[in-house]
Amino acid sequence: MVLFSGFSFAQTATSVYLMPWPQSLEVAQGHLKIVPNIQLIIPNDSSDRIQFSATQFLRNLSNKTGVFITNGFPLTVVDNSNTSIIIKYDRIGKLEIHEDESYQISFKNNQITLTSVTDLGALHALETLLQLVNNNESYFYSQEVSIQDEPRFTWRGLMIDVARHFQPVDVIKRNLRGMASVKMNVFHWHLTDDQGFRIESKLYPKLQELGSDGLYYTHEQIKDIVKYADNLGIMVIPEIDIPGHATAFLAAYPELASKKQDYSIERNAGIFHPTLNPINPKTYEVLDGLFSEIAPLFTSKYVHIGGDENEGKHWDENPLIQAFKLKHGFKTNHDLQTYFNIKLEKILAKYGKKIMGWEEIMTPNMPTSAIIHSWKGVNEGKKPLTSLIEAAKKGYQTVLSNGFYIDLMQPVQEHYAVNPLPSNLDLSPTERKRVLGAEATLWSELATPLTIDSRIWPRTAAIAERFWSSENKQDLQHLQERLPYISDQLEQLGLTHNSYKNVLFRNITKSENIAPLQILSKVCEPLKIYTRNKGGTEYQSYSPFTLFADACTPDATDAVLFNLAVELFLKSPTENNKKTILKWLKKWQANHLAFKKLTVNPLIKNITPLSKNLAVLSEITQQKLTGTAVDSNTIKALLKAATKDIQDVELTVISSFTKLLY
Amino acid sequence: MVLFSGFSFAQTATSVYLMPWPQSLEVAQGHLKIVPNIQLIIPNDSSDRIQFSATQFLRNLSNKTGVFITNGFPLTVVDNSNTSIIIKYDRIGKLEIHEDESYQISFKNNQITLTSVTDLGALHALETLLQLVNNNESYFYSQEVSIQDEPRFTWRGLMIDVARHFQPVDVIKRNLRGMASVKMNVFHWHLTDDQGFRIESKLYPKLQELGSDGLYYTHEQIKDIVKYADNLGIMVIPEIDIPGHATAFLAAYPELASKKQDYSIERNAGIFHPTLNPINPKTYEVLDGLFSEIAPLFTSKYVHIGGDENEGKHWDENPLIQAFKLKHGFKTNHDLQTYFNIKLEKILAKYGKKIMGWEEIMTPNMPTSAIIHSWKGVNEGKKPLTSLIEAAKKGYQTVLSNGFYIDLMQPVQEHYAVNPLPSNLDLSPTERKRVLGAEATLWSELATPLTIDSRIWPRTAAIAERFWSSENKQDLQHLQERLPYISDQLEQLGLTHNSYKNVLFRNITKSENIAPLQILSKVCEPLKIYTRNKGGTEYQSYSPFTLFADACTPDATDAVLFNLAVELFLKSPTENNKKTILKWLKKWQANHLAFKKLTVNPLIKNITPLSKNLAVLSEITQQKLTGTAVDSNTIKALLKAATKDIQDVELTVISSFTKLLY
């Protein structure tokens, strides 16, 4: 829980901090105390999922409350308690689209009953119950509620790119745990790209040997993660991105390239030309072998084949490919890519899999069995939802990622505002049904195992609510009120999005004295959209990601509060509201004094202008607010200096200062 | 780096913060600047180890300094820099005892040369070099030095118990990384015990299926860790603890037990009776099969067979076993265990392995090919080193762990003071040579993946110095001066012994307001020796280890400083020294005021007496020091209350308060 010092959000009457918010919630007066001999009663023939999750639930409950719960391993029913949680479900759920994930929670006397059609619903109910745990001064309890809940969308995904920066098994697992806690059910695993081929092939071992720097997942690790995800009710969709984004692939098998040249793993970010050769039979032989190995590792019916951003430069440069196009009457490279995709679709069908791909695969002859992954939007010069609408109209099932690119460091409310299926969309009911849901995507050019959690959480919890809850759930204040609780809950489940910061601060100050950096970071955010890594060449994959920018996150907490306070003051310039602002201004001036006392080193030196700009702006604003005249040229110069990109970080209070100073 | 506020350690002239301290060090005036195009030049035919460690070195150097080092993957020599690090070694080292691990570091112009006989020496040199990195206001550099270094002992181990609490692969790996950074070279992996059988058997899968709650290492994971350790120059010794400590084993194979009864995984801590049946041929058949699988997974020549704490109760209760003893003329259960061990020795010899075991295996007929692991001491009613001396005299090689039980939460100086081979020991040169070295041991009854790093580090860095450096290296002040730097370095390499604390504090306060707990924890330590888990039954393996005691660590930093200040004041009661003490006393009184403002919850409530006791003692001591009379009965009562065990935590400033108040 963040203390909203200087600004307070209205409490809900209920003090229920759930995310995603359930479809129907009634809050009763009573509450059920968490006691040591609380019993969790599961059906005798429970699924692996239920056994795993029920056991974990009790441990998490114990860790959260400090209550020494006696119900250990395995779950045993001892008839010595009035307090019990009963799980009831009809059948084992399948990790497929349109599976029933609904659940109900009811309280009666000292008994909580979780009822659902499938065990997947029961898992969701357990997560809700864990979030319901609250406390008074004397004990922990669960608020008595009556909940009926089900997801708005059947596809609630998170994509993690493990190609640009490899993410070890434990990183994936803790993020899966986070996903489950906010009821996401699809993990899209972006396994290959120009910068790395991250999945073992036993048939073509050069792929990982030459394409991964030794950083890849073995089959056993894949199976382990798929099983772990299954226990959490999460379907895993592997992505092998072809025919473009294939530099690492071609570093291993240059003979499959469209252009004869040397290939080595790409270290920069961006769009590159290396592309598989679609007219070489060997290409399909290798892909057939590869998918014959990969398909059985995953239980989901879909394999994501990427298909994005192939600009066809190497196809244009290859006379044989040009001749092939001519011979087959392919007018464009898109036609050729369709040829490639259709062959791929047949290969995958052999192994019982269907195709999912980025929107570029939606070409005239593409079978409608494919899922179209809609990703382009304003940044790509397109109107949002364009390909989603087109796909649904053409008969494809479709999933939206535009608006959910969480690597772009945008504020939570921007993502929260994106509606994957607005009611005013010109789609028939049948077409609307084809919109399966949406996925947040974390591209990892700038995200390492140390920082990645902070790039995903807690914003993705709000996105998960957008995917699960009613589209009418739009109240930003209620979101902001719950988010800190959920963020702390995610930390307690193992995510490191909070704790990693001090690790970096200590590395920067080379000391325990990190308070000035902590305070400064609360108004600093890493540069947004694609501005931090200009041209994709400012950072290589092996650059240091231990900088102040890496310790900063979107939604810098004090900036959010200050900006709200300024808005309030401008609307209602009372003495009290002014006082709130002056408090912030004094804090930042004092912080710069503390900052200047830090033992200087190059890392400190680099970010000193940030602290100084903040302090100087605070000082001048304080003067203005307290009636001292300030020279407008000075203001202009200061604001200009403070807006400058310093160490890939922006002060996200500048617009508020601008408002106060003009 | 900890800021020693209120107390300052003398700086060494050199500002070189190495641990372990090298055998010979000369510090020159110059320093070599870390520049982006710094080159690391390794032999063309470098070992896997060197390629791995050299690449990691550059990344760590980059992460530590923020310098964008251009030398990426793979290491390439580009002739555009005057600054280079050259690695030269004669041959690939073997991970065996008595291997040459020496190295030299020399600086000339802008070139650092690391010279060694084996690549293992080169790894140590790289770790030293990374520790040498320092900075001024403008840039990072390495101090120019001339180092000749080699270990005092060939066996410098850390044992981690993964049976009482399972520790996932990433936990093991980050601790291996920490070990390498302080030049430890043996990882002793305590894989089985009453509370878990943590290694997969393909021949006897019930072992992990019924003996591990699903928490075990697969063969692939074992091989991965052994390879990772090898790359760091660390030998891995697996321990299968038999015939006692076998409850989990017998949960899978009750037919191999000495007593017919139900067996299930043990959840408490302590010494238990379940023991393999040494007269059942099936016992040896299973062990033979098991070791045939396990032996090839490890490259080291030794397998640790435990052998400790078998009290033979179930042997005494079994008439067939009694008859067997009579028939074979075995007078004691020790004789019977020797029979068991000798059979085991033959089985292991088949698979190319020798035996290592806890000191109990040293019985008259035990072959001297075994390594005797000396562990008993004062806590077990024995004079320290007893079994070590006996082993060396009897012709066994031997390793010391008594004095290095780091799970007992003792202060660093107690371990640092333990000399595994004092010069005055009554041993001949040949016998002395049999003392291979020593091992720190982390038993994990009270250590989870979240807390374990803090139970190992940074104290184990000091222990590593005891194992590596000259026995004359005893200067506690120099140790305390370097330890904070090394601790931060370990954090930057991935250990979580610092960062986990706030995770627990946030869980306790259910808020971001954790400062009062942080300050309080700096004078609090978890109960020591075996007092926290009385009788082994206060905590089960599934109890919550998210308590304040778990967030506390030995060597509570403010307590160390306060205790030193009090010592100084008592020796020299100047106004200045008194002032230092009064500053602490005021801090703790103020902290309790802040503590009382925390939103109360049961977890806060539990530890409030700790904060209050500290505040009240501070207040009364302040009165005494400033000349106000204090009633001696009040003092007595307060000290008594403050000495009481509260939430398994002790205020480690009480003895200082006692000194000041009497």
Side-chain angles (χ1 to χ4, degrees), chain A residues 14-246:
Chain A
T14 59
S15 286
V16 168
Y17 300 97
L18 294 174
M19 193 173 296
W21 197 252
Q23 305 294 348
S24 156
L25 165 73
E26 285 169 38
V27 179
Q29 279 304 314
H31 57 212
L32 184 136
K33 191 174 163 184
I34 310 299
V35 291
N37 63 355
I38 191 170
Q39 297 296 316
L40 182 54
I41 299 165
I42 64 176
N44 279 330
D45 58 345
S46 280
S47 65
D48 281 6
R49 267 178 216 142
I50 289 295
Q51 288 184 35
F52 175 84
S53 295
T55 312
Q56 289 301 310
F57 171 83
L58 281 184
R59 300 290 73 80
N60 288 327
L61 186 61
S62 179
N63 288 339
K64 185 169 180 168
T65 59
V67 173
F68 282 60
I69 293 173
T70 52
N71 198 344
F73 301 107
L75 295 173
T76 47
V77 179
V78 188
D79 204 5
N80 63 355
S81 172
N82 289 322
T83 308
S84 54
I85 302 162
I86 302 173
I87 295 180
K88 292 178 182 170
Y89 63 90
D90 298 335
R91 61 175 174 82
I92 294 176
K94 286 184 186 156
L95 290 178
E96 286 178 7
I97 53 176
H98 301 309
E99 179 56 294
D100 192 314
E101 297 179 84
S102 67
Y103 70 93
Q104 294 169 34
I105 299 181
S106 62
F107 284 66
K108 198 175 180 186
N109 303 327
N110 275 329
Q111 204 162 288
I112 309 175
T113 307
L114 314 180
T115 319
S116 59
V117 176
T118 69
D119 59 346
L120 299 170
L123 301 192
H124 294 317
L126 283 171
E127 298 295 348
T128 300
L129 198 55
L130 192 64
Q131 289 186 358
L132 277 173
V133 173
N134 208 326
N135 63 275
N136 56 29
E137 294 197 1
S138 305
Y139 54 85
F140 286 88
Y141 61 85
S142 171
Q143 181 72 41
E144 288 197 11
V145 295
S146 171
I147 288 177
Q148 297 220 345
D149 202 9
E150 63 178 341
R152 177 180 173 208
F153 291 112
T154 190
W155 190 291
R156 305 176 306 282
L158 171 65
M159 188 213 77
I160 297 181
D161 167 12
V162 297
R164 276 58 178 259
H165 278 106
F166 182 68
Q167 306 295 337
V169 170
D170 59 304
V171 176
I172 300 299
K173 283 192 174 175
R174 70 189 186 220
N175 278 286
L176 286 166
R177 186 64 194 85
M179 288 174 67
S181 83
V182 292
K183 302 184 172 54
M184 299 181 98
N185 68 343
V186 179
F187 170 48
H188 168 182
W189 204 352
H190 185 78
L191 285 162
T192 74
D193 214 303
D194 297 299
Q195 296 82 354
F197 194 95
R198 305 295 187 192
I199 177 168
E200 175 187 31
S201 169
K202 291 182 197 285
L203 293 173
Y204 303 102
K206 278 198 284 180
L207 284 169
Q208 71 270 14
E209 284 164 13
L210 300 176
S212 81
D213 301 309
L215 300 171
Y216 64 92
Y217 306 98
T218 65
H219 288 192
E220 181 181 295
Q221 288 173 324
I222 300 267
K223 282 187 269 187
D224 179 39
I225 284 173
V226 169
K227 174 71 182 164
Y228 184 76
D230 188 295
N231 276 340
L232 295 168
I234 296 169
M235 166 162 69
V236 183
I237 310 285
E239 177 179 351
I240 309 295
D241 199 351
I242 42 180
H245 289 273

Side-chain angles (χ1 to χ4, degrees), chain B residues 156-191:
Chain B
R156 305 177 306 281
L158 171 64
M159 188 213 78
I160 297 180
D161 167 12
V162 297
R164 275 60 178 259
H165 277 104
F166 182 68
Q167 306 295 336
V169 170
D170 60 302
V171 176
I172 299 300
K173 283 192 173 176
R174 71 189 187 219
N175 277 285
L176 286 166
R177 187 63 195 86
M179 288 174 67
S181 85
V182 292
K183 301 184 172 56
M184 299 181 99
N185 68 343
V186 179
F187 170 48
H188 168 182
W189 205 352
H190 185 78
L191 285 162

Side-chain angles (χ1 to χ4, degrees), chain B residues 22-25 85-90 100-107 111-129 132 145-151 183 468:
Chain B
Q23 304 294 348
S24 157
L25 166 73
I85 303 163
I86 302 173
I87 296 180
K88 291 180 183 168
Y89 63 91
D90 297 338
D100 192 313
E101 297 180 83
S102 67
Y103 70 91
Q104 294 169 33
I105 299 181
S106 62
F107 284 68
Q111 204 162 289
I112 309 175
T113 308
L114 315 181
T115 319
S116 58
V117 175
T118 69
D119 60 345
L120 300 170
L123 300 193
H124 295 316
L126 283 171
E127 298 295 348
T128 300
L129 198 55
L132 277 174
V145 295
S146 172
I147 288 178
Q148 297 220 345
D149 202 8
E150 63 179 341
K183 301 184 172 56
W468 175 284

Side-chain angles (χ1 to χ4, degrees), chain A residues 433-588:
Chain A
K433 227 195 139 192
R434 293 189 189 125
V435 178
L436 300 178
E439 267 187 34
T441 52
L442 194 283
W443 303 101
S444 65
E445 287 89 347
L446 303 176
T448 66
L450 185 66
T451 64
I452 192 166
D453 293 8
S454 73
R455 275 54 195 143
I456 299 176
W457 308 103
R459 287 178 304 151
T460 295
I463 293 173
E465 176 157 288
R466 176 57 51 241
F467 297 171
W468 176 283
S469 305
S470 157
E471 67 180 311
N472 302 324
K473 187 77 206 154
Q474 292 282 1
D475 179 351
L476 275 182
Q477 187 168 314
H478 193 214
L479 174 71
Q480 295 289 5
E481 186 189 328
R482 290 171 293 144
L483 208 46
Y485 286 88
I486 299 304
S487 178
D488 279 1
Q489 167 114 345
L490 290 165
E491 172 169 59
Q492 301 310 329
L493 292 174
L495 288 158
T496 62
H497 58 295
N498 285 334
S499 60
Y500 90 105
K501 292 194 176 205
N502 288 358
V503 176
L504 290 186
F505 292 146
R506 282 189 280 266
N507 193 47
I508 292 169
T509 64
K510 306 296 176 198
S511 102
E512 292 295 314
N513 185 7
I514 57 175
L517 270 66
Q518 289 173 320
I519 291 172
L520 178 62
S521 76
K522 287 179 182 173
V523 294
C524 288
E525 298 187 12
L527 294 184
K528 297 183 196 318
I529 320 289
Y530 295 106
T531 54
R532 179 170 176 194
N533 193 10
K534 291 178 201 82
T537 58
E538 304 213 334
Y539 290 84
Q540 281 74 48
S541 49
Y542 49 76
S543 295
F545 293 97
T546 50
L547 308 174
F548 187 66
D550 299 296
C552 294
T553 54
D555 305 310
T557 48
D558 286 355
V560 169
L561 298 173
F562 178 71
N563 294 338
L564 284 168
V566 169
E567 251 177 69
L568 191 65
F569 170 73
L570 293 174
K571 266 188 219 152
S572 161
T574 63
E575 271 311 302
N576 237 356
N577 288 340
K578 188 196 281 187
K579 228 166 124 184
T580 304
I581 289 171
L582 288 172
K583 216 170 125 188
W584 285 111
L585 302 178
K586 280 171 194 157
K587 182 178 179 180
W588 292 326

Side-chain angles (χ1 to χ4, degrees), chain B residues 601-632:
Chain B
N601 70 39
L603 296 165
I604 296 279
K605 211 176 201 175
N606 285 341
I607 57 172
T608 302
L610 282 168
S611 180
K612 193 181 167 189
N613 287 342
L614 179 65
V616 174
L617 278 174
S618 296
E619 189 188 344
I620 206 171
T621 307
Q622 182 181 330
Q623 284 171 10
K624 171 123 199 251
L625 289 180
T626 52
T628 309
V630 186
D631 171 54
S632 73

